Amino acid sequence: MKDPAVSLRALRGATTAAANNAAAMEEAVAELLDELMQRNGLGGAAVLSAIFSVTKDLDALFPASVARRRQGWDGVALLDCQQMAVAGDLPRCIRVLVQAWLPQGQEAQHAYLRESQRLRPDRSCNQ
């Protein structure tokens, strides 16, 4: 039975990796997930699933492998996919859609970091 004190919400986020290597991608993914969790006051148990997409120029690491190692994320359904290739797209971009249980009435806080702030300046995290 669903808890009436919480509602399932979709959280969006994006960032860019400095390079196409495992270290740069891991740093970017961890920073993005930390920001989403902090902005929404979440623990791992509140996260139901996360779908990651990456631009075609990133192939050094599965972003879900970074999420899988997070404390409390062992029961989270994770998926990686390649972002649709569109001319002029932001290079080395990692996007995520997280489904999480938020307290009823709490507004979802999205996170757009680094160069991805260009995608959604209205939702960017000034860093």
Side-chain angles (χ1 to χ4, degrees):
M1 183 172 170
K2 183 179 169 283
D3 181 348
V6 296
S7 61
L8 187 60
R9 302 298 302 274
L11 308 173
R12 290 281 298 134
T15 190
T16 53
N20 181 28
N21 63 55
M25 289 180 68
E26 185 167 344
E27 176 186 344
V29 171
E31 177 185 46
L32 177 58
L33 294 178
D34 286 347
E35 185 70 22
L36 276 172
M37 299 298 281
Q38 185 274 323
R39 288 175 61 90
N40 290 284
L42 296 174
V47 179
L48 180 65
S49 66
I51 301 169
F52 294 90
S53 67
V54 297
T55 49
K56 68 179 183 174
D57 53 359
L58 291 176
D59 62 5
L61 176 80
F62 290 111
S65 69
V66 177
R68 185 179 309 112
R69 295 190 302 265
R70 296 179 68 85
Q71 183 174 349
W73 281 57
D74 52 329
V76 176
L78 301 169
L79 179 67
D80 289 303
C81 59
Q82 188 175 47
Q83 183 72 25
M84 191 171 99
V86 175
D89 193 14
L90 184 62
R92 297 183 315 280
C93 187
I94 302 165
R95 293 173 173 92
V96 68
L97 174 64
V98 174
Q99 290 185 306
W101 297 105
L102 293 181
Q104 191 71 29
Q106 178 179 320
E107 186 176 334
Q109 299 295 315
H110 308 283
Y112 288 78
L113 308 176
R114 302 180 184 193
E115 294 300 314
S116 78
Q117 292 182 30
R118 296 185 341 207
L119 300 173
R120 291 298 304 260
D122 59 322
R123 294 187 171 170
S124 68
C125 302
N126 296 322
Q127 295 187 352

